[in-house]
Amino acid sequence: PGEGEEPPEEEQEYTVNFELNGGVTVAGTNSFSLRVKEGEAIAEGDVADVSRKGYLFQGWLDSQGNYYSFSAPVMEDMTLSASWTPITYRVQFHLNGGSGDAPAEQLVAYDEELKLPVSGLYRKDYVHIGWEQDGVGVYQEGAVAKNLTDQDGAVVVLKAVWRRGEYKVSFQANGGSGTMSAQAFSCGKSKKLTKNKFTKTGYTFAGWNTRKDGKGQSYKQQERVSFANQADGCAGVLYAKWQGNSY
């Protein structure tokens, strides 16, 4: 400056901090800042793009919780916070071969917990064990799930998962001697009966019966059978039949 001239005043700058509230920038940071000259507005083009999984960006909030206008002049240091709203998606339930009333469609927000229904569905010879989301996995009935997708407006279909029922049939010697293990069966499937291992002195094994007195349903040695109307976890009994030997 010339003689008697005042030196020019330094331009005042302020710091504007941006807090992302769970979001990130493209560079992966969760906050950033800009320096802005006093009285100037923040150039929106200088503000980093931000994102947050499962959420939609709504804008920047000032310290009072109001949306900030980028046309306003900056007159002090300040902090702006990212505002987010969760995406919403629909969950539908597919019976996948079962019968009954499908659970109602549900509208779910990201990060909201969804308790999966205990359906009461029916499928002959099967047991309903849960709900499957393609490419993700199986959730048990009554389990709590969340964040089934991060796409706004998506439709997630959960398909009923069925396991074929299983039951066991035990064998009673009915006056004979020896031991035999129970035999496992699958509901609705036929299978050969285990070969008899019981013996009875003076008698020949003559097959099996569902009643001890032999007045029920009879089955031959190693006959292929399928016991009707057996539910998962049931237990059946077959009694050995004996025919006296002729001498």
Side-chain angles (χ1 to χ4, degrees):
E3 199 172 316
E5 292 183 15
E6 294 280 336
E9 291 186 12
E10 290 187 12
E11 289 183 299
Q12 178 69 45
E13 286 189 342
Y14 295 108
T15 300
V16 181
N17 294 307
F18 294 82
E19 296 294 337
L20 273 56
N21 287 339
V24 292
T25 64
V26 175
T29 60
N30 55 21
S31 65
F32 62 93
S33 61
L34 295 175
R35 295 286 289 172
V36 182
K37 292 179 180 180
E38 182 178 38
E40 292 188 0
I42 301 171
E44 288 193 68
D46 293 339
V47 179
D49 290 331
V50 296
S51 62
R52 182 180 176 186
K53 185 176 182 179
Y55 285 78
L56 302 174
F57 178 66
Q58 300 299 305
W60 297 99
L61 300 176
D62 61 23
S63 59
Q64 304 301 312
N66 300 313
Y67 283 100
Y68 183 76
S69 171
F70 282 89
S71 63
V74 175
M75 303 304 295
E76 60 182 350
D77 293 334
M78 67 173 69
T79 297
L80 299 178
S81 302
S83 173
W84 307 95
T85 57
I87 61 102
T88 57
Y89 56 94
R90 292 181 291 146
V91 179
Q92 297 176 349
F93 299 90
H94 188 280
L95 302 190
N96 198 23
S99 59
D101 294 328
E105 177 182 286
Q106 298 198 40
L107 182 66
V108 186
Y110 199 80
D111 277 338
E112 178 186 354
E113 291 186 339
L114 170 66
K115 185 171 183 180
L116 298 178
V118 178
S119 65
L121 301 177
Y122 173 78
R123 183 179 176 187
K124 183 175 173 57
D125 298 325
Y126 286 81
V127 180
H128 184 212
I129 61 171
W131 302 97
E132 181 176 19
Q133 183 181 2
D134 285 346
V136 177
V138 176
Y139 304 94
Q140 292 184 334
E141 284 191 303
V144 174
K146 69 176 183 178
N147 301 346
L148 302 182
T149 181
D150 60 6
Q151 301 300 308
D152 189 44
V155 176
V156 175
V157 177
L158 297 181
K159 293 181 180 180
V161 179
W162 302 94
R163 171 181 63 77
R164 187 176 285 275
E166 297 177 344
Y167 62 96
K168 289 186 176 182
V169 174
S170 62
F171 301 91
Q172 298 293 321
N174 199 18
S177 60
T179 59
M180 287 184 65
S181 299
Q183 185 176 7
F185 283 82
S186 296
C187 295
K189 292 283 189 179
S190 63
K191 191 176 187 178
K192 280 187 177 182
L193 290 170
T194 301
K195 187 175 181 179
N196 172 57
K197 296 179 182 178
F198 298 133
T199 59
K200 185 177 181 180
T201 303
Y203 288 80
T204 298
F205 176 71
W208 304 99
N209 197 275
T210 55
R211 288 180 52 167
K212 190 173 184 178
D213 61 9
K215 295 181 179 179
Q217 176 68 45
S218 292
Y219 299 99
K220 298 176 183 177
Q221 170 83 293
Q222 290 189 288
E223 182 177 342
R224 179 172 287 278
V225 298
S226 175
F227 299 96
N229 301 318
Q230 292 292 326
D232 184 62
C234 284
V237 181
L238 290 179
Y239 298 90
K241 296 196 302 180
W242 302 103
Q243 181 175 347
N245 294 334
S246 300
Y247 295 98

